[in-house]
Amino acid sequence: MYFNSFQFLLLFLPVTLLGFYLINRVEPCRWPIVWLVGASLVFYGFCNLVLVGVLIGSVLTNYVLGRFFNDSQISKVNLKKILYFGIICNLGVLIYFKQFGFYGGSQPQEFSPAYPWGVIIPVGLSFFTFQQIIYLVEVWRGRVEGNSFWNYFLYVVFFPQLLNGPIVRPNEFFPQLVDKKFFKFQADRIAAGLTIFSCGLFKKVVLADGIARYSDSAFDAVAQGAVLSMMEAWSGTLSFTLQVYFDFSGYSDMAVGLGCLLGIRLPINFESPYKASSLIEFWHRWHMTLSRFVRDYIYIPLGGNRKGSLKRTGNIFIIMLIGGIWHGTGTTFIVWGSLHGGLLAINHLWRQLQNSLGYSLERKNFIYEISGCVITFTTVAVLWVLFRAESLDVAVSIIQSLFGFQTSPDADFNNIKISEDRLWFLILIVWFAPNMKEIMSKYFEGENVGVTQHNSVIGRRWYHWYPTTWWAAFTSILFIMSLLELTQGERFIYFQF
Amino acid sequence: MNDNIKFLIIFFLSVGQVLLLIGGFNWLVDPYDIYHPTEYKSNDLVWMSKQLRLAKAYRVKQLRPQGIVIGASTSQLGINPNHPGWSENVYPRYNLALPGANLYESFRYFQHSHALNRPKQVLIGLDFVSFNIFSQLSDDFDESYMIISRKGKRQDHYLNNLAVTLFSLSATKASQKKLFYRGKGTHFSNGTEFSEEIDLQPRNNRSAMMWSATKFVSRLLMPPPSHRFCLDDETQVSSSFQYLRQILKTTKESKADVRLFIQPIHVYLLEVLTVMGLMEDYEKWQYRLIDLVEEIDNKYPKSQKFSLWDFSGYNSVTMDEVPPEEKPKRPMNWYADVAHFKKSLGDMIQDRIFNYNEAGRVVPEDFGTQINSKNIDLYQRSQRSKQTEYRLVHQDEIKELTERVNVVKKTKMEFDCGRGV
C-alpha cells in the first residue's frame, strides 16, 4: 500500500489512528504496540502477502540474534562471531534479492518468457535490513538495552518508515515507546503531523508526479533510440532532478508526519539539498539518515579521516561506490557512485588546499556561495542522468545532448513534453523555499522543551509553523489539492531500492 | 479553545466542505455518465469526455454489451454497431474502439467487456499501424479502469473509481466542459464517434489528403520517439499478434461470432507504405493474420469459423479520387483523410461482412475480399498489378506524394527490427 493511495488515506490511516488511540485508552502498554505491528503488516502485505513472510522471517532472526548479546555467559569473541553472522545473514538476503530478484515492473508480463529466477524483491528490503544491522551493532556495543519482542517488531516494521526510511537508530526509537506521551492523544502532535504529512503528500502528488511525465518523456525517448536536442535533454534532466527530490523528500515528510500522528518522532531526512554550495554539503543534506548510516557503519570502521588524506580519499570513493551498487548492480549505478565518490574526493582536496592557503571555510562569500550552489546543482543534475537512464548508452547520449555534442533534431521531431514554467517554478522552490526542518523548527524546539506557545519563542519567521487559523487553511488547501490530483497512485522512485 | 483543537476543526471542516462541494458538483453533472446514466438509444447523441478510455470503460460497465466493436479511431469513427446486419438478439452493442489504440489496449478493453458480459458478436477492425511494437500506450490509458487484470484476475478499484469520478481535478474539468458544451454531442450513445463536419464543412480535401499522408508517417506509422516500425523485434518480448491471439482464443471458448476486417485505407496510404519500403511488411502482416486466424480455427474445429476480410488494396472505393489542384475543395466520396472514412463506407463494410443488403445501397463488387491461405497469393498478385495500373493513371499525384513522404523518410533512421540484414 502506498501513502498516496485512497485506500491508505481514506481507510487504512483513519482506522489505524482510531484503533490506536482507542486501545490506548483501554490498555496503554503493550496492545497499542501490537496494534501498530498488526497494522504495519497489513500495510506491507497489501500488495504481496508472501513478502510479509520474508519480513517476519528477517525480524525473528535478528531478534533472536539480538537476544544473544544480552547473555552474559557468552564470551566476547563468540558475541563478535554472532554479530558477524548476523550482518552476513542480513547482507546475504539483501544481495540475493538484489542479484536475482526483479521488481515486477509495469510492462505487460503475461506473454514474456518466464523470468529465470522469478523472485520478487520485497519492497523496502534494504531499509529494514540496514535498520536491523544498526540494531545488532548497537546492542552488541551495549548502547541499547535488549527490548521486548513487540517493541523490536514495531521498530522494524513501523509502517511510516518501513518502505523508504528514514533509517532510525534504536536510541531514537525505543525511548519514545516508554515515554507516556506516546500513549496519549495530543492535539498539538496531530496538528503538526497533519501539516507535515500534507506538505509531503503535496510534494509527491502535485510536484513530483506533476513533473514525472516530462522526465519520462525524455528518458524513454532516448531508450527507444531518439537523439535529443539540447533543450530536450536539459528539460528531461532537470525534470528528473526535481522529480527525484520531491518524490523522496515528499515520502520522508509523509513518514515524519505519520510518525507524529502516532506519537513517534522520526528523524528528518532532507534539508534543502539543492541549496548546497558543495558536493560535501549536498550529501550532508540528501537522504541524511542513509548518509549517517554509511558514515557510522562503513566510513568510520574503514578508518574515516584518521589515517591521512590519501586513505580518506580512498574511503570516500569506496563508500560512494557501495552507495551506487546499493541502488543496483547495473553499470549506470556503479558509474554514478564512482563519479560522486571521485568528485567528493576532489571537493575534500579542494577544501584542504583552501585551508593550507589560509582561506577560512567559515568566512562566507555571497558570490562564492551562489556560484558553488549553481555548480553543485548542475553537477548533481548531470549525474542524475546516470541514475535514471536505463543503460549507459542512454546516459551517454543524453549527456552528449546536454553539452551540445549531438546534432539537434527539428523542434517537434521527438515529441518530447517540455514544461519550462513548471521547471522554473520548482527550481525557485528548491532554491528559495524553507524546508520542513525550518518550517517546523519552532514546533520541534517547543516539543523538546515542552513548550508550544508561539509567543514564547524568539526569532520568529514568517514561515514558522504554529497551530494558527492560517496554517490550518493552508494545510487543508495542500491536502485538498493533493487529493484532487491523487488519481494514479504513482510509485515512489525509491521503493525499488 | 486550544489553538491545536481549533487548527484540527478548521482543517477537517475545510477539507470536508470542499470535497463535499466538488463531489456534489461532479455527481450532479456526471461527466462520465455513471451516476445518472443516459438511456441507451443507439442513435441518440451524447457528450463524452475527452478521457475516452475512462468514459468508455465505465459505459461498458453499465451497458454490459453483447456485441462490441474493437479497433482504433478508424473503427470508432466509421463503424456504427447499429447496423442491421448484426444479429437482432445481440443487444446492446457498443463501439469500444479507441483512438490511437494499439493491440494491447484493444486486448485489455476486450478483456474488460468480456469479464462483464461475454459478448456474442465481436467485430474487430485491424489497422496495420496498431501492430507496431513501438506504438505507445495512450497517456489516457489506465489499468485501474479495467475490471479484470492482465492475468485475468478480478479487480475492482471501487474506492479509486469513486475518487476518480467524483473527487478528482480531471473529473471537475470534465464536468465544467460538459456544463458549457453547446454542440449536438460528440458520440452516439453506442460509442461511435459523431463527426458532422466531415460532410458539412467545405474544406481543401486535396491538401487534407496530402497532409494526412505525411502526418501518418511521422505520427502513426513511425511514431516518435522511436521513429520505428516493426511487427516483431528480437529485442521485444511482447508482440501484438499475441494479444490478438488471446482475444480470438477467448472468443472461441465463449462461442462468440467474430469477424475481422482490415480497414479500407485509401490507396494513398499503400503508396506511402511503398515509398517507406514497408509494402512487403504489409503483405507479410496479411499472411500472419491469416495464419493466426486459421491456427485458432483449427484448434477449435467444431466452432464457427472466423471470417477475415480485407477492404484495403486497390478497389473502386479505396481509389476514391483525390480532388485535383484546380478544384481542391471538391468533396470526396468516402474519406475524411487517408485513413479515416465516413460512416456510409462503414455501413458498406458491414453490409459485406454480415452479407446484408440494404435497399438503395450498392456495394461495389471489388470492395472487400475474404482472405485465407488458399487465395492470398493470387489476391496479393492481383493487387500488385492493380497498383501498377493505378500508378500509370495517377503519375503526377504519386510523384507529389512521393516527394512529400521522402522528406519525412529522410528524418528516420534505418532500423532492421533485429533481423540482422
Side-chain angles (χ1 to χ4, degrees):
Chain A
M1 197 184 294
Y2 306 147
F3 294 162
N4 56 332
S5 66
F6 292 107
Q7 291 95 329
F8 180 83
L9 292 171
L10 304 181
L11 281 178
F12 179 85
L13 187 58
V15 171
T16 305
L17 283 174
L18 201 67
F20 176 69
Y21 286 111
L22 281 177
I23 295 170
N24 267 339
R25 286 176 74 98
V26 181
E27 198 273 336
C29 193
R30 183 196 292 172
W31 288 110
I33 292 174
V34 175
W35 169 261
L36 283 184
V37 168
S40 299
L41 291 179
V42 169
F43 171 82
Y44 192 74
F46 194 79
C47 292
N48 193 328
L49 216 58
V50 179
L51 297 180
V52 179
V54 178
L55 177 64
I56 294 175
S58 172
V59 170
L60 288 176
T61 311
N62 283 289
Y63 180 71
V64 170
L65 288 172
R67 297 286 289 180
F68 284 118
F69 299 125
N70 294 322
D71 190 340
S72 55
Q73 289 177 337
I74 303 175
S75 70
K76 278 191 173 177
V77 178
N78 284 338
L79 283 179
K80 202 164 190 177
K81 283 179 187 167
I82 292 171
L83 175 71
Y84 286 146
F85 174 75
I87 292 173
I88 289 167
C89 279
N90 279 298
L91 291 179
V93 172
L94 184 64
I95 291 166
Y96 170 77
F97 278 107
K98 287 268 179 185
Q99 191 61 35
F100 299 116
F102 69 100
Y103 298 106
S106 56
Q107 293 300 313
Q109 298 277 329
E110 68 270 41
F111 300 125
S112 342
Y115 198 84
W117 300 284
V119 185
I120 297 174
I121 298 176
V123 184
L125 174 69
S126 37
F127 288 95
F128 66 74
T129 302
F130 286 169
Q131 194 147 314
Q132 295 191 99
I133 290 175
I134 294 175
Y135 176 78
L136 290 180
V137 173
E138 294 298 299
V139 179
W140 173 73
R141 283 175 176 167
R143 290 181 189 167
V144 178
E145 291 292 311
N147 272 280
S148 82
F149 174 70
W150 290 109
N151 282 9
Y152 177 72
F153 211 156
L154 185 64
Y155 165 68
V156 181
V157 304
F158 187 46
F159 72 86
Q161 42 103 53
L162 173 60
L163 303 183
N164 241 352
I167 300 167
V168 188
R169 288 173 170 171
N171 57 9
E172 289 169 330
F173 192 83
F174 291 118
Q176 298 190 66
L177 299 187
V178 291
D179 187 342
K180 282 184 182 170
K181 271 187 191 172
F182 172 65
F183 298 101
K184 274 187 186 165
F185 175 87
Q186 292 177 88
D188 61 336
R189 284 194 167 197
I190 302 284
L194 278 176
T195 307
I196 302 171
F197 181 81
S198 301
C199 285
L201 189 67
F202 183 82
K203 276 183 181 178
K204 164 65 184 161
V205 176
V206 180
L207 304 184
D209 292 351
I211 195 99
R213 60 201 299 253
Y214 303 100
S215 124
D216 292 347
S217 170
F219 280 89
D220 293 349
V222 181
Q224 292 186 42
V227 173
L228 302 184
S229 67
M230 195 193 256
M231 173 80 172
E232 290 165 345
W234 276 109
S235 159
T237 303
L238 292 176
S239 298
F240 182 70
T241 303
L242 296 162
Q243 183 200 351
V244 71
Y245 168 66
F246 285 114
D247 189 281
F248 198 7
S249 78
Y251 181 92
S252 298
D253 289 348
M254 281 188 261
V256 174
L258 289 169
C260 271
L261 293 177
L262 291 160
I264 293 272
R265 171 95 174 270
L266 295 173
I268 293 278
N269 220 4
F270 286 85
E271 202 181 337
S272 303
Y274 292 148
K275 287 179 189 167
S277 59
S278 70
L279 213 51
I280 296 171
E281 200 187 334
F282 172 78
W283 282 108
H284 284 153
R285 289 163 172 258
W286 178 275
H287 202 176
M288 290 150 75
T289 56
L290 181 71
S291 299
R292 196 174 64 174
F293 170 82
V294 170
R295 184 195 65 205
D296 293 350
Y297 298 96
I298 306 175
Y299 179 69
I300 293 174
L302 279 172
N305 56 4
R306 300 189 301 274
K307 295 178 182 172
S309 61
L310 194 67
K311 181 80 177 162
R312 182 185 63 187
T313 307
N315 289 340
I316 289 168
F317 186 79
I318 289 169
I319 57 162
M320 292 313 292
L321 182 64
I322 292 173
I325 294 170
W326 171 67
H327 288 92
T329 47
T331 334
T332 47
F333 289 121
I334 293 170
V335 176
W336 176 77
S338 308
L339 284 174
H340 263 291
L343 291 171
L344 265 177
I346 292 170
N347 201 168
H348 276 286
L349 289 173
W350 171 248
R351 281 194 174 182
Q352 207 177 343
L353 183 73
Q354 281 179 307
N355 262 336
S356 63
L357 293 174
Y359 183 86
S360 167
L361 293 173
E362 301 302 318
R363 208 173 59 220
K364 300 277 181 188
N365 175 323
F366 182 71
I367 303 290
Y368 185 86
E369 285 289 308
I370 293 289
S371 51
C373 181
V374 172
I375 291 168
T376 306
F377 179 76
T378 313
T379 308
V380 170
V382 173
L383 292 181
W384 279 130
V385 172
L386 287 154
F387 187 91
R388 168 65 176 80
E390 282 178 31
S391 68
L392 204 56
D393 290 344
V394 171
V396 170
S397 172
I398 295 176
I399 291 171
Q400 283 178 332
S401 298
L402 283 176
F403 296 105
F405 296 128
Q406 305 253 41
T407 314
S408 276
D410 290 339
D412 65 340
F413 182 69
N414 288 321
N415 202 22
I416 303 289
K417 298 180 182 88
I418 297 177
S419 172
E420 275 185 65
D421 299 345
R422 201 181 281 253
L423 278 178
W424 281 118
F425 175 65
L426 295 184
I427 287 174
L428 288 177
I429 289 182
V430 296
W431 276 351
F432 299 108
N435 60 49
M436 194 48 68
K437 193 179 171 186
E438 290 164 341
I439 291 170
M440 301 305 291
S441 61
K442 295 301 164 192
Y443 167 73
F444 289 144
E445 197 179 276
E447 193 192 30
N448 286 343
V449 293
V451 182
T452 52
Q453 280 82 23
H454 24 115
N455 52 8
S456 68
V457 182
I458 302 163
R460 184 173 175 164
R461 297 275 185 277
W462 63 269
Y463 54 75
H464 283 158
W465 180 87
Y466 297 103
T468 60
T469 310
W470 288 109
W471 265 107
F474 182 65
T475 307
S476 59
I477 288 170
L478 292 184
F479 189 78
I480 291 164
M481 282 175 77
S482 309
L483 215 57
L484 292 179
E485 290 274 32
L486 194 77
T487 50
Q488 304 294 327
E490 294 278 337
R491 279 173 71 112
F492 289 88
I493 293 172
Y494 260 74
F495 270 13
Q496 58 186 305
F497 306 127
Chain B
M1 190 190 289
N2 179 321
D3 282 351
N4 291 301
I5 298 288
K6 204 168 141 189
F7 178 100
L8 294 178
I9 290 172
I10 293 170
F11 175 84
F12 285 113
L13 273 181
S14 309
V15 171
Q17 281 181 58
V18 173
L19 289 185
L20 209 67
L21 201 71
I22 290 174
F25 172 66
N26 289 329
W27 184 83
L28 277 174
V29 180
D30 196 13
Y32 309 119
D33 225 11
I34 298 167
Y35 300 101
H36 331 286
T38 45
E39 202 183 333
Y40 177 79
K41 286 180 186 165
S42 52
N43 279 332
D44 278 7
L45 284 171
V46 292
W47 179 89
M48 280 189 96
S49 156
K50 284 201 170 167
Q51 296 162 280
L52 267 181
R53 280 153 175 83
L54 189 156
K56 284 201 168 182
Y58 282 109
R59 188 69 175 147
V60 168
K61 263 187 181 178
Q62 287 151 5
L63 287 179
R64 296 170 183 262
Q66 292 192 343
I68 53 170
V69 178
I70 297 172
S73 55
T74 41
S75 298
Q76 190 195 217
L77 187 65
I79 304 295
N80 190 337
N82 197 32
H83 188 276
W86 289 68
S87 169
E88 270 184 33
N89 304 326
V90 174
Y91 188 87
R93 302 173 211 140
Y94 196 70
N95 188 326
L96 202 43
L98 295 159
N102 59 18
L103 255 290
Y104 177 70
E105 282 187 73
S106 296
F107 163 67
R108 292 293 287 129
Y109 274 81
F110 167 77
Q111 272 191 313
H112 176 63
S113 177
H114 187 267
L116 289 158
N117 186 14
R118 294 180 174 194
K120 291 178 182 166
Q121 254 187 322
V122 182
L123 195 54
I124 304 176
L126 301 164
D127 292 82
F128 184 54
V129 286
S130 50
F131 280 71
N132 183 4
I133 54 169
F134 291 107
S135 75
Q136 304 266 307
L137 270 177
S138 163
D139 285 349
D140 186 21
F141 176 78
D142 192 322
E143 294 284 352
S144 70
Y145 302 155
M146 307 288 118
I147 198 161
I148 194 165
S149 78
R150 288 195 289 264
K151 292 177 181 169
K153 279 187 187 165
R154 198 87 176 175
Q155 57 177 29
D156 201 354
H157 302 277
Y158 177 75
L159 208 58
N160 201 54
N161 292 343
L162 193 75
V164 167
T165 54
L166 291 181
F167 302 109
S168 70
L169 201 62
S170 47
T172 312
K173 280 183 194 166
S175 289
Q176 183 207 343
K177 278 181 189 159
K178 185 177 179 182
L179 210 60
F180 293 106
Y181 181 73
R182 292 288 170 264
K184 286 181 188 171
T186 60
H187 287 72
F188 292 102
S189 185
N190 63 20
T192 308
E193 189 179 346
F194 171 67
S195 182
E196 58 184 340
E197 68 271 18
I198 293 176
D199 285 320
L200 296 182
Q201 288 176 6
R203 59 174 195 162
N204 189 327
N205 280 311
R206 184 180 172 80
S207 69
M209 290 296 280
M210 290 290 180
W211 179 83
S212 65
T214 51
K215 216 65 188 164
F216 172 81
V217 178
S218 60
R219 286 283 174 253
L220 289 170
L221 184 66
M222 296 191 154
S226 64
H227 305 287
R228 290 169 181 171
F229 180 91
C230 292
L231 293 174
D232 279 306
D233 174 6
E234 294 292 311
T235 59
Q236 298 277 324
V237 289
S238 69
S239 159
S240 303
F241 289 99
Q242 302 283 23
Y243 296 120
L244 182 59
R245 170 179 281 116
Q246 198 67 15
I247 294 174
L248 296 181
K249 269 175 72 178
T250 312
T251 54
K252 277 285 181 196
E253 280 156 15
S254 59
K255 296 185 176 110
D257 168 14
V258 179
R259 299 164 198 235
L260 304 99
F261 69 96
I262 295 171
Q263 300 286 2
I265 47 174
H266 190 271
V267 287
Y268 264 31
L269 222 46
L270 294 176
E271 292 302 324
V272 167
L273 293 179
T274 308
V275 177
M276 295 302 293
L278 287 170
M279 202 53 202
E280 201 182 318
D281 285 84
Y282 188 76
E283 289 180 349
K284 276 186 190 161
W285 174 63
Q286 291 182 326
Y287 267 105
R288 291 184 65 177
L289 287 174
I290 292 169
D291 283 348
L292 178 61
V293 162
E294 293 186 353
E295 174 203 318
I296 309 277
D297 267 336
N298 293 337
K299 266 190 188 165
Y300 299 86
K302 287 178 186 171
S303 64
Q304 185 188 338
K305 289 206 179 303
F306 296 125
S307 60
L308 172 61
W309 291 81
D310 181 22
F311 291 96
S312 68
Y314 290 77
N315 57 56
S316 50
V317 171
T318 55
M319 290 194 291
D320 191 7
E321 286 297 329
V322 175
E325 269 187 81
E326 52 278 15
K327 286 182 183 173
K329 289 189 176 176
R330 194 180 73 190
M332 290 188 69
N333 292 324
W334 311 112
Y335 288 91
D337 57 47
V338 286
H340 298 98
F341 49 89
K342 299 174 184 176
K343 271 180 196 60
S344 45
L345 181 54
D347 288 339
M348 292 203 322
I349 292 171
Q350 296 189 79
D351 286 349
R352 183 67 90 213
I353 289 176
F354 293 117
N355 195 19
Y356 179 84
N357 291 313
E358 173 84 35
R361 188 162 63 209
V362 181
V363 183
E365 276 294 312
D366 64 344
F367 182 58
T369 305
Q370 205 167 344
I371 52 174
N372 53 50
S373 55
K374 287 173 190 156
N375 68 5
I376 185 69
D377 287 328
L378 193 65
Y379 174 72
Q380 286 189 347
R381 265 205 301 277
S382 78
Q383 290 302 317
R384 278 178 224 135
S385 63
K386 281 182 185 172
Q387 184 185 37
T388 313
E389 284 170 32
Y390 180 81
R391 285 177 165 185
L392 279 172
V393 179
H394 298 84
Q395 282 183 17
D396 292 344
E397 280 174 58
I398 301 298
K399 194 180 164 205
E400 186 185 342
L401 187 68
T402 306
E403 279 168 5
R404 284 172 181 251
V405 174
N406 269 329
V407 173
V408 185
K409 190 184 175 186
K410 275 181 194 160
T411 63
K412 309 286 176 188
M413 299 257 283
E414 292 282 334
F415 185 68
D416 68 357
C417 301
R419 289 169 190 150
V421 283

